[in-house]
Amino acid sequence: LCLNRFWFDYNGINMSVKLSIYPFFLSGFPCSYRCSYCNSRGSSGVKDEVHAATITTELKNWISKSSDKRDRQVAFYGIEPTILEQCILEALFEAVTPFVSTGQIQGIRLSVRPDRIRLLDRFFNSGIRVIELGIPSMNDHVLSKIQRGHNSISVYDAVRYLRKRRVEIGFQTMIGLPGSDKTEAMETAHRLAALKPDFVRIHPTLVLSDTFLAQEMDKGTYKPITLDHAIDVCADVAGLYGSLGIPVARIGFHIPEDLRDNCLVGGPYHPAFGALVRSEMRYRFMVKAIQKNPGIRSFTVPADQLSDFIGYQRENISKLKKQFNREFRISAIQ
Ligand code: SF4
């Protein structure tokens, strides 16, 4: 799972350590893999040369303007980086490592397939700090259905390999893939949680134009999950990670409106998907609390979670009223 340009909202990262990330999006390099949900293989074929000088100029500019003391990282996203010719990859690293050596940037983060991680071997001394492994599922049947080209054993191998290199490890996971259901999503989450990642991202499967998944949807052999079902499964999965102390860095994708119109042909997209899932989690929490203590009529919650407790368009307040047949008040701790 590699992030396409429009899927990455770097301002939306919600990590326990505040980060400032400068993303470079590598486009124009068609991927040789055939993951059924991805349209990166259909890239233009026109190579956008990655100029080291441009990277250097942009980073100098960014550093000179950034006054905050947050951890600064450079990210390369957009395509599977290991498909790049080694000389291009080398140029990318050579452009960034001087900033890492001088402490102006604290590291490089990359999104990589588990079965390709060893191809980065020679770059681990060049400032790589975070590796996000694309792991759509840990179920080999699902991985085969989406033509992922690796199985779950590759994930265990990759994590073992990365642990020795002492980098932070994130997992990019998906729900709603062909062959998957809620049980599979939870089994995948349990297996991934056991590997103790530093953080996870959870993405609902969206159907993009020019993908095998879009063809399957047209033929009727794949039916995207509904928004309600996606929220339900994500709430369970995120709840599991949360209960084990594993940070969920992001839930859902951000897709700008114009690209939504051009590329998105199916699936449970909602611009506030993450907020909907967080609201559902808070709703479940409140229901449990009321069932345990039926006298509850109000909740006082941390100010930064107030909107999640109230719910998108005050939905949680209406749902509580409907379920328990009385009014509830939710306010922030003063
Ligand atoms: S490896 Fe798969 S998900 Fe990543 S860019 Fe290639 S086709 Fe897309």
Side-chain angles (χ1 to χ4, degrees):
L1 170 67
C2 297
L3 296 174
N4 281 334
R5 176 164 205 244
F6 48 89
W7 283 352
F8 183 61
D9 172 8
Y10 61 93
N11 290 319
I13 287 180
N14 172 23
M15 312 283 284
S16 49
V17 177
K18 292 283 179 214
L19 297 175
S20 188
I21 296 178
Y22 198 98
F24 287 100
F25 294 98
L26 313 169
S27 59
F29 297 88
C31 184
S32 49
Y33 289 94
R34 293 287 179 271
C35 307
S36 70
Y37 52 84
C38 177
N39 67 359
S40 280
R41 68 185 189 288
S43 297
S44 64
V46 180
K47 290 192 177 185
D48 296 341
E49 294 295 340
V50 181
H51 294 292
T54 315
I55 291 178
T56 306
T57 310
E58 286 192 28
L59 290 184
K60 275 186 182 163
N61 206 7
W62 177 50
I63 290 163
S64 69
K65 282 183 186 158
S66 121
S67 55
D68 63 38
K69 296 276 179 254
R70 290 186 297 174
D71 210 359
R72 289 194 202 107
Q73 294 181 5
V74 166
F76 290 112
Y77 286 118
I79 54 162
E80 166 61 42
T82 62
I83 65 163
L84 297 173
E85 288 161 31
Q86 286 281 305
C87 59
I88 296 178
L89 208 47
E90 238 165 58
L92 294 178
F93 277 95
E94 277 171 13
V96 181
T97 41
F99 294 94
V100 178
S101 318
T102 52
Q104 292 167 288
I105 283 170
Q106 281 69 47
I108 298 170
R109 56 195 299 141
L110 295 165
S111 161
V112 187
R113 288 172 58 100
D115 57 334
R116 303 276 297 186
I117 194 68
R118 283 165 201 272
L119 295 171
L120 291 176
D121 203 42
R122 54 191 284 230
F123 297 107
F124 274 95
N125 290 328
S126 306
I128 295 180
R129 167 111 174 246
V130 183
I131 292 288
E132 298 194 25
L133 291 175
I135 310 172
S137 171
M138 284 296 276
N139 179 301
D140 288 342
H141 173 66
V142 174
L143 289 171
S144 156
K145 272 198 106 126
I146 60 172
Q147 303 167 51
R148 179 66 179 166
H150 68 74
N151 58 21
S152 54
I153 292 172
S154 310
V155 176
Y156 293 111
D157 284 347
V159 171
R160 252 194 312 273
Y161 172 86
L162 289 172
R163 289 277 175 240
K164 288 186 192 144
R165 274 138 194 96
R166 298 181 182 283
V167 291
E168 282 172 48
I169 304 173
F171 294 160
Q172 296 176 6
T173 70
M174 295 175 77
I175 59 133
L177 288 164
S180 174
D181 57 15
K182 193 170 175 177
T183 308
E184 185 281 319
M186 289 303 282
E187 280 170 6
T188 281
H190 275 287
R191 292 175 75 184
L192 291 179
L195 292 171
K196 298 186 171 36
D198 294 291
F199 65 92
V200 293
R201 298 178 193 267
I202 309 165
H203 301 304
T205 301
L206 302 178
V207 186
L208 303 178
S209 57
D210 192 29
T211 61
F212 293 117
L213 203 55
Q215 290 172 17
E216 286 181 39
M217 188 179 74
D218 288 344
K219 282 190 288 185
T221 50
Y222 171 69
K223 194 164 175 254
I225 58 172
T226 63
L227 181 61
D228 282 349
H229 187 48
I231 292 168
D232 177 44
V233 178
C234 280
D236 279 359
V237 169
L240 172 72
Y241 289 125
S243 69
L244 297 170
I246 297 168
V248 178
R250 187 172 183 91
I251 304 171
F253 293 117
H254 167 71
I255 305 182
E257 209 174 321
D258 55 330
L259 288 165
R260 232 179 287 161
D261 293 343
N262 293 334
C263 297
L264 187 62
V265 293
Y269 182 77
H270 190 288
F273 186 78
L276 292 175
V277 174
R278 288 195 305 274
S279 291
E280 172 63 20
M281 293 168 76
R282 304 296 184 264
Y283 177 71
R284 293 177 183 185
F285 172 84
M286 290 188 287
V287 168
K288 271 192 194 152
I290 297 165
Q291 285 166 342
K292 219 168 154 187
N293 184 350
I296 290 179
R297 287 186 178 268
S298 66
F299 290 90
T300 310
V301 303
D304 62 349
Q305 293 177 30
L306 182 62
S307 57
D308 289 338
F309 272 95
I310 289 174
Y312 188 70
Q313 297 178 338
R314 304 181 65 79
E315 194 188 23
N316 284 353
I317 301 222
S318 332
K319 275 164 55 183
L320 285 177
K321 185 179 173 186
K322 197 169 166 200
Q323 184 165 350
F324 296 98
N325 203 22
R326 63 175 190 262
E327 298 283 348
F328 286 88
R329 191 167 172 272
I330 304 174
S331 55
I333 297 168
Q334 295 300 321

